[in-house]
């Protein structure tokens, strides 16, 4: 069977990869080289210089493209470097309409680095398509979606956003970091570019920082390859190799992340010290019908608010956890806990945080693949006060 026709779980293992032609090595080697020999000027085997092309990075780029259902993939030194490359397609005066609930670092990149070059960013509640439509102008070049959102787990209707993007001929970019292509494939729903912080679930082991793009259209992909080569924010071959290795078990890990995420969300919802729990799988949440339609399951990210919504209480809880580690990041095999207001979303102005529900009592969990009963017991002891 042609490898391009494989199903998802087979693509994680084989997508974009083949045994090394020179040695037969089954795993893509780590081509730790900056440059490649030429037999005469301009005569080479498709590789000249590792900023432009590197065989290990190329295998990863093909892998992520295959998982997202397209032909064009790119890998960068971090998720933010991938976002940076997308924004460099724009010109002064262009507008980006973005979800208002998004990773604090993405907000910081938009506002502190690109606003000064004349890009205009509008942050809207994307759960409400009418609000998005009202923000669109002929200057809108990108609609930027995160779904589920970081850290409030809001679900945004990708197909509805694709229709709006088409109306104004804007590109729809989806940050698919929280869902991964195992749960959600935005290109099939009308997105033009899918971005990942591969630092998270794709790598899966908290041992690297890397970003990827998967692109639907050849012309857009060519622009991005030119930016990647011109700006040079590429990942190294070792990190590309580790990401490829992580991707091979993405489907297995995601199944357990989803099971454990469900167990933790349901446990917290019934806990007397907990005020609210945010997880896309609750049937009474506004995003539930959309999540059911566009996601295969609901993922391993869960946020919750402690009853008194006080920093002191949230801080006590996250510091008392023993199986969960208090740390930034998410998507690794081990469970992590974070305090968005002071950690991942500290870059947002306090009024933006308040508008989005990122209060001092909010805690975000990245539920790992340990035994669920150990995770629940850990939460039980940390919430005892
Ligand atoms: O950290 P980096 O690989 O540069 O990716 C940035 C990024 C982009 N998009 C989303 C949805 C993200 O969550 C992140 C990084 N987030 C964290 C470090 C965090 O703890 O939320």
């Amino acid at each position: 069977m042609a490898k391009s026709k494989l199903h998802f779980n087979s693509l994680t293992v084989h997508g974009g990869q083949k045994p090394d032609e020179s040695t037969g090595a089954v795993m893509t080697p780590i081509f730790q080289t900056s440059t490649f020999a030429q037999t005469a000027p301009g005569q080479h085997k498709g590789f000249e210089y590792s900023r432009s092309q590197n065989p290990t990075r190329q295998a990863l780029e093909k892998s992520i493209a295959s998982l997202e259902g397209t032909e064009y993939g790119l890998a960068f030194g971090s998720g933010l470097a991938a976002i940076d490359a997308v924004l460099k397609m724009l010109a002064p005066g262009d507008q980006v309409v973005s979800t208002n609930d998004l990773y604090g670092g993405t907000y910081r990149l938009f506002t502190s680095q690109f606003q000064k070059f004349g890009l205009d960013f509008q942050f809207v509640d994307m759960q409400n398509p009418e609000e998005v439509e009202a923000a669109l102008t002929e200057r809108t070049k990108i609609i930027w979606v995160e779904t589920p959102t970081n850290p409030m787990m809001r679900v945004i209707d990708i197909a509805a956003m694709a229709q709006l993007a088409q109306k104004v001929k804007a590109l729809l970019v989806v940050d698919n970091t929280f869902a991964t292509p195992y749960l959600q494939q935005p290109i099939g729903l009308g997105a033009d570019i899918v971005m990942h912080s591969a630092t998270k679930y794709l790598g899966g082991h908290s041992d690297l920082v890397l970003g990827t793009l998967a692109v639907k259209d050849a012309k857009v992909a060519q622009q991005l390859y030119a930016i990647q080569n011109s700006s040079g924010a590429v990942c190294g071959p070792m990190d590309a190799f580790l990401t490829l290795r992580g991707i091979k078990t993405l489907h297995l890990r995601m199944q357990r992340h989803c099971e454990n995420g469900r167990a933790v969300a349901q446990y917290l919802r019934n806990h007397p010290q907990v005020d609210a729990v945010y997880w896309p799988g609750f049937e009474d949440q506004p995003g539930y019908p959309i999540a059911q339609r566009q996601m295969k399951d609901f993922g391993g990210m869960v946020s919750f608010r402690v009853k008194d919504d006080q920093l002191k209480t949230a801080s006590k809880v996250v510091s008392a956890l023993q199986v969960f580690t208090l740390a930034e990041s998410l998507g690794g095999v081990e469970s992590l806990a974070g305090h968005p207001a002071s950690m991942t979303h500290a870059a947002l102005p306090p009024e933006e945080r308040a508008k989005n529900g990122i209060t001092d009592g909010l805690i975000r969990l990245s539920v790992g693949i340990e035994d669920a009963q150990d995770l629940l017991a850990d939460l039980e002891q940390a919430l005892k006060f």
Side-chain angles (χ1 to χ4, degrees), residues 280-308:
F282 289 129
E283 288 180 28
D284 55 3
Q285 298 286 300
Y288 181 76
I290 304 162
Q292 252 208 332
R293 203 164 60 230
Q294 73 187 18
M295 298 174 75
K296 185 166 162 174
D297 204 339
F298 304 110
M301 296 300 297
V302 180
S303 294
F304 69 101
R305 202 184 309 286
V306 291
K307 196 101 203 166
D308 64 6

Side-chain angles (χ1 to χ4, degrees), residues 349-364:
E351 59 280 8
E352 280 296 320
R353 282 205 301 269
K355 253 198 277 173
N356 289 331
I358 307 172
T359 58
D360 283 351
L362 188 78
I363 292 171
R364 191 191 72 184

Side-chain angles (χ1 to χ4, degrees), residues 77-83 102-106 144 146 148-151 175-178 195-200 208-211 301 327-330 336 343-345 364:
S78 69
L80 285 177
I83 300 173
L102 77 171
Y103 172 53
T106 307
W144 191 278
E146 245 185 44
T149 61
N150 182 359
D175 181 334
N176 206 22
T177 299
F178 272 33
M195 177 262 150
H196 283 279
S197 169
T199 313
K200 313 295 173 347
L208 58 94
V209 173
L210 193 143
M301 296 300 297
E328 304 242 358
S329 204
L330 59 111
L336 299 182
M343 295 167 70
T344 49
H345 292 71
R364 191 191 72 184

Side-chain angles (χ1 to χ4, degrees), residues 27 38 122 197 242 259 271 292 296 318 349 356 364 366:
M27 290 298 128
Q38 305 195 10
Q122 297 293 322
S197 169
L242 285 172
E259 277 170 36
H271 199 288
Q292 252 208 332
K296 185 166 162 174
V318 292
N356 289 331
R364 191 191 72 184
S366 170

Side-chain angles (χ1 to χ4, degrees), residues 60-316:
L60 170 62
E61 293 176 333
K62 287 185 175 167
S63 165
I64 188 65
S66 79
L67 294 182
E68 291 290 0
T70 183
E71 283 178 52
Y72 311 103
L74 299 97
F76 296 86
S78 69
L80 285 177
I83 300 173
D84 181 271
V86 173
L87 293 174
K88 283 180 177 153
M89 289 197 297
L90 303 185
D94 288 348
Q95 185 189 59
V96 178
V97 173
S98 165
T99 170
N100 58 2
D101 185 33
L102 77 171
Y103 172 53
T106 307
Y107 178 90
R108 182 178 54 206
L109 176 63
F110 286 176
T111 54
S112 75
Q113 300 304 320
F114 279 97
Q115 240 165 14
K116 66 183 177 223
F117 296 118
L119 297 190
D120 174 30
F121 296 89
Q122 297 293 322
F123 297 95
V124 299
D125 177 3
M126 287 199 168
Q127 285 179 301
N128 179 359
E130 281 158 28
E131 202 173 306
V132 181
E133 190 156 18
L136 298 176
T137 70
E138 70 279 4
R139 295 186 297 111
T140 310
K141 296 293 184 270
I142 285 177
I143 296 183
W144 191 278
V145 173
E146 245 185 44
T147 182
T149 61
N150 182 359
M152 299 307 294
M153 312 302 157
R154 294 185 184 124
V155 177
I156 293 162
D157 188 337
I158 297 172
M161 292 304 124
Q163 276 185 4
L164 290 176
Q166 270 170 16
K167 258 192 191 173
V168 291
K169 298 198 167 61
L171 294 173
L172 177 64
V173 186
V174 176
D175 181 334
N176 206 22
T177 299
F178 272 33
T180 82
Y182 173 75
L183 295 179
Q184 167 176 289
Q185 296 178 347
I187 286 182
L189 298 165
D192 297 287
I193 299 175
V194 180
M195 177 262 150
H196 283 279
S197 169
T199 313
K200 313 295 173 347
Y201 289 105
L202 295 183
H205 296 75
S206 304
D207 53 8
L208 58 94
V209 173
L210 193 143
T212 64
L213 299 175
V215 185
K216 179 161 70 183
D217 176 71
K219 259 199 192 142
V220 177
Q222 286 319 317
Q223 273 187 64
L224 286 164
Y225 286 125
I227 292 167
Q228 184 192 42
N229 187 38
S230 305
S231 293
V234 293
C235 59
M238 179 72 192
D239 286 349
F241 171 85
L242 285 172
T243 307
L244 275 170
R245 175 174 159 143
I247 284 174
K248 286 177 196 292
T249 56
L250 175 68
H251 52 301
L252 298 173
R253 289 184 285 109
M254 287 312 292
Q255 283 168 22
R256 181 62 73 88
H257 283 298
C258 290
E259 277 170 36
N260 285 357
R262 179 184 302 273
V264 164
Q266 285 170 347
Y267 167 82
L268 288 171
R269 210 177 212 201
N270 293 315
H271 199 288
Q273 298 291 357
V274 173
D275 181 42
V277 183
Y278 304 96
W279 173 66
F282 289 129
E283 288 180 28
D284 55 3
Q285 298 286 300
Y288 181 76
I290 304 162
Q292 252 208 332
R293 203 164 60 230
Q294 73 187 18
M295 298 174 75
K296 185 166 162 174
D297 204 339
F298 304 110
M301 296 300 297
V302 180
S303 294
F304 69 101
R305 202 184 309 286
V306 291
K307 196 101 203 166
D308 64 6
D309 202 12
Q310 294 298 307
L311 173 62
K312 226 171 105 189
T313 313
S315 178
K316 217 155 85 187

